[in-house]
Amino acid sequence: MSFALDALIVLTGWTHVLLAPYTKVEESFNLHAVHDSLLHGVVNLDNYDHFTFPGVVPRTFIGSVLLAWISNPVIQAATSVGLVTDKFDLQIIVRLVLSTLNAFGLCFLRRAVSRRFGRPTSLLFTIITTTQFHIPFWMGRTLPNMFAMLPVNVASALLLSRHPSSTKPSPRSIYTAIILLTSTAVVFRAEIALLLAPLVLQALVLRYISFVQVVKVGMVSGLASIALTTAVDSYFWRTLVWPEFAGIYFNVVEGKSSEWGTSPPLTYFISSLPKLLLTAFPLSILGFFMDSRIREALTPHIAFVALISLLAHKEWRFIIYVVPVFNIAAARAGRWMLSQRKSTFLGRLLFLVFWSMILVNTGATIMGTITSMANYPGGEALMRFTESYSSSKGVPVHISSPLHVHISNLAAQTGASLFLQVHAPPFASRSTFCPHPSPGSPANCFTPVYDKTENMTLEELTGSHEVTHLISEWSPLEMNSRMRVWRLLSGDGDSFDDTQGADAQSNVNGAGVITAYAGLQVNRDALNALKGLRFGEAGKLLSEKGLVWMRKKPVLWIYGRR
């Protein structure tokens, strides 16, 4: 049973990676750092992407380099059995490895729950976690928060893993947790310090550890971590830098984070936590009040959310670390609900309520996953462009002129990563443009240029005859008279749609038109038919479209120069 539960956690994360393989701009720094570490090595820094697109503040390379090193033997094994054909396959493998690492952290925590609260609570913790959306969907994504998630979960497990009747964790476990959280705060995410502080304060108040020893452990681990990140990141950035300190100074001291938006003080409690936890939110409240062990585990995490709420700029990912512990509280409440005698009305009611809540979780997660799959138009556009120049067997079509594709800001932010530039060097394997390089290779066997130059106007792109293709946010109607220069991609290499203006705009099913999620729509016709008791008509309408369906709208267009 234990192995099956661990496998369920791992497979849930893998499923989300495979269903939504593309990434977004907030993941791009670490993803591209992994790309460069894998394919350029850690010596040849001149071609690294962060010198071209450095971002607002420097970020650490430690997580990316470690992920690249861990992924490398997996990539070698996958290549040996023919599972790697281009760089996009590497992106999927890297994300699967990261998802697996975070799954191991959750499995370690699950085993601690089993020891502290019993196997049934451990089972329910697994069910609740795997039927939620955010952690399974995001734990394979290269956000800095997901690099921090693993050590935070291990620290939580160390503090929790003890006999049910034990009154306190071992000092060794506490000090190890402090080392992990201190290092994570210094290297990956500074907000972890706001979680470390209430955990240490609680341990001191309860006299689990001594103040002097805490200072020693904290100082040694903190200074060692500062030395590590400064040495590693100064090398990669080619200047003396401690990335997380630079981030704190920029966002907190200078107050620049507010430029990205501000939220009311209670946003995390009344909005973010309910969205992250779904039906586990009310269950965690019940678990908090019914078990003193849950109160001890959950109080520092509640304090963390309260402390980070003092910052004006708020994002759900800043508090994602508390979700597993809240899920433990929810699982404890679920165990109580399911343990009531089924011969009583209350027992049957609680049984029905709990599993209904799990069904709601599952339904919300399925809906969230389906809509998210349609929310990466940049990745879809670049992949469609690439596929249009390769036959079904991976052999390139004949190309009459060098390719130079300009990738718009929206495309770059919604999935057009370096891993999808499969025909740009360095190559993970032989490019399908030149599948069999030899002295007799055709003259049209070359590498296209992928151009992400920002803020170029349509006039500049049209006037630059080097640019042969556009992945653009401009619709055919917005292109207007310039459709005499550009044509929409139709799907067969240099084959383009000659329709212009409104005709091209309406062709939402064409290969050159990329759609994205535009909201959900309720089948009001079926609901109105039900109100009028026309069950046959309502059933027909529901069978055609269902009760709720996803709306899409064109957001990107692929053009080729005539």
Side-chain angles (χ1 to χ4, degrees):
M1 174 63 76
S2 181
F3 175 79
L5 295 179
D6 291 344
L8 178 61
I9 294 173
V10 173
L11 291 175
T12 301
W14 286 4
T15 300
H16 284 280
V17 170
L18 297 175
L19 289 176
Y22 304 122
T23 58
K24 283 196 175 179
V25 63
E26 56 265 33
E27 307 162 56
S28 63
F29 172 81
N30 285 304
L31 186 72
H32 291 167
V34 173
H35 169 277
D36 293 340
S37 299
L38 278 173
L39 300 179
H40 292 297
V42 296
V43 176
N44 182 19
L45 301 184
D46 292 335
N47 295 320
Y48 270 46
D49 183 71
H50 69 288
F51 291 122
T52 306
F53 301 99
V56 179
V57 292
R59 280 159 286 182
T60 183
F61 272 82
I62 291 178
S64 302
V65 172
L66 286 174
L67 180 58
W69 286 350
I70 296 171
S71 301
N72 192 54
V74 181
I75 291 170
Q76 297 299 326
T79 303
S80 67
V81 295
L83 295 179
V84 175
T85 58
D86 56 43
K87 288 196 288 187
F88 183 43
D89 294 328
L90 303 190
Q91 175 170 310
I92 296 174
I93 292 173
V94 166
R95 290 193 52 212
L96 286 173
V97 170
L98 178 59
S99 178
T100 304
L101 292 173
N102 274 317
F104 286 167
L106 289 171
C107 293
F108 189 50
L109 183 58
R110 183 201 65 76
R111 291 170 183 268
V113 172
S114 179
R115 184 180 179 193
R116 182 67 169 157
F117 298 100
R119 291 183 180 178
T121 304
S122 169
L123 168 64
L124 297 181
F125 168 78
T126 304
I127 292 173
I128 291 171
T129 299
T130 54
T131 57
Q132 289 172 335
F133 171 72
H134 281 84
I135 283 187
F137 184 83
W138 286 91
M139 69 185 192
R141 298 187 170 275
T142 52
L143 287 173
N145 312 79
M146 295 303 113
F147 286 106
M149 177 70 78
L150 174 59
V152 171
N153 281 335
V154 172
S156 297
L158 290 172
L159 296 173
L160 199 66
S161 182
R162 57 188 192 270
H163 192 272
S165 61
S166 175
T167 58
K168 63 179 182 179
S170 69
R172 182 175 182 177
S173 295
I174 298 175
Y175 292 133
T176 305
I178 291 174
I179 292 171
L180 285 171
L181 295 177
T182 301
S183 301
T184 303
V186 168
V187 175
F188 295 114
R189 293 300 304 180
E191 70 262 16
I192 298 300
L194 299 179
L195 175 59
L196 175 63
L199 282 168
V200 170
L201 180 60
Q202 181 189 59
L204 290 172
V205 170
L206 297 176
R207 297 184 178 181
Y208 293 166
I209 51 177
S210 70
F211 177 76
V212 173
Q213 193 66 22
V214 167
V215 172
K216 289 181 180 179
V217 171
M219 288 288 290
V220 171
S221 59
L223 291 174
S225 300
I226 292 172
L228 174 64
T229 185
T230 302
V232 171
D233 293 308
S234 295
Y235 169 78
F236 281 99
W237 287 97
R238 290 178 170 172
T239 185
L240 185 64
V241 64
W242 170 12
E244 274 309 290
F245 179 78
I248 294 172
Y249 188 84
F250 180 85
N251 291 310
V252 180
V253 178
E254 294 185 340
K256 297 291 187 178
S257 63
S258 60
E259 296 179 1
W260 306 102
T262 60
S263 303
L266 296 179
T267 297
Y268 284 138
F269 287 102
I270 64 178
S271 177
S272 300
L273 278 177
K275 289 179 181 178
L276 291 170
L277 295 168
L278 299 177
T279 58
F281 184 63
L283 288 175
S284 65
I285 297 174
L286 176 60
F288 179 85
F289 287 107
M290 66 179 296
D291 194 323
S292 60
R293 297 171 299 174
I294 292 295
R295 287 194 293 274
E296 180 183 337
L298 200 54
T299 296
H301 293 77
I302 296 173
F304 162 70
V305 177
L307 288 172
I308 203 170
S309 294
L310 299 176
L311 300 177
H313 177 62
K314 298 176 177 63
E315 295 183 36
W316 62 264
R317 60 191 179 96
F318 297 162
I319 63 166
I320 189 70
Y321 324 104
V322 307
V323 171
V325 179
F326 271 84
N327 284 346
I328 295 170
R332 177 66 185 88
R335 177 70 184 98
W336 173 81
M337 294 171 69
L338 297 180
S339 65
Q340 303 305 303
R341 295 175 58 186
K342 305 305 182 293
S343 58
T344 65
F345 172 77
L346 178 62
R348 292 192 294 271
L349 177 63
L350 291 175
F351 181 89
L352 179 62
V353 168
F354 177 81
W355 290 113
S356 296
M357 296 173 86
I358 295 299
L359 286 176
V360 170
N361 263 16
T362 304
T365 297
I366 292 173
M367 185 63 69
T369 302
I370 291 173
T371 55
S372 295
M373 289 166 60
N375 217 13
Y376 296 87
E380 177 67 27
L382 191 51
M383 182 58 70
R384 195 174 297 182
F385 168 80
T386 299
E387 291 175 346
S388 70
Y389 282 93
S390 298
S391 73
S392 60
K393 296 182 179 179
V395 179
V397 299
H398 286 280
I399 304 166
S400 58
S401 62
L403 300 184
H404 182 124
V405 55
H406 181 266
I407 300 170
S408 72
N409 291 344
L410 177 62
Q413 293 174 2
T414 57
S417 71
L418 293 180
F419 281 108
L420 266 72
Q421 297 177 17
V422 297
H423 300 306
F427 299 118
S429 58
R430 291 178 175 177
S431 168
T432 55
F433 275 109
C434 299
H436 303 293
S438 65
S441 294
N444 64 349
C445 190
F446 55 85
T447 300
V449 175
Y450 297 92
D451 180 5
K452 294 190 292 183
T453 304
E454 298 183 79
N455 302 319
M456 289 191 70
T457 65
L458 182 55
E459 289 78 8
E460 292 171 333
L461 291 169
T462 303
S464 174
H465 292 285
E466 291 182 352
V467 178
T468 61
H469 296 78
L470 304 177
I471 297 179
S472 172
E473 301 162 41
W474 293 303
S475 70
L477 284 178
E478 292 171 308
M479 298 281 279
N480 200 6
S481 61
R482 292 178 182 82
M483 289 300 288
R484 290 176 295 184
V485 179
W486 302 100
R487 295 182 292 177
L488 273 175
L489 180 72
S490 67
D492 296 318
D494 280 327
S495 178
F496 283 80
D497 191 344
D498 281 318
T499 56
Q500 300 184 27
D503 293 333
Q505 172 80 14
S506 62
N507 184 21
V508 296
N509 295 319
V513 183
I514 311 299
T515 60
Y517 173 71
L520 299 175
Q521 186 166 335
V522 178
N523 193 339
R524 297 188 181 278
D525 293 336
L527 293 179
N528 291 333
L530 282 174
K531 290 178 182 179
L533 301 180
R534 294 171 296 183
F535 293 104
E537 182 180 349
K540 180 180 179 181
L541 293 172
L542 287 174
S543 65
E544 291 175 354
K545 288 189 174 182
L547 181 60
V548 179
W549 69 88
M550 180 172 59
R551 291 187 292 109
K552 293 184 178 182
K553 65 177 181 181
V555 294
L556 290 173
W557 289 263
I558 306 175
Y559 299 100
R561 190 180 292 272
R562 290 179 182 271

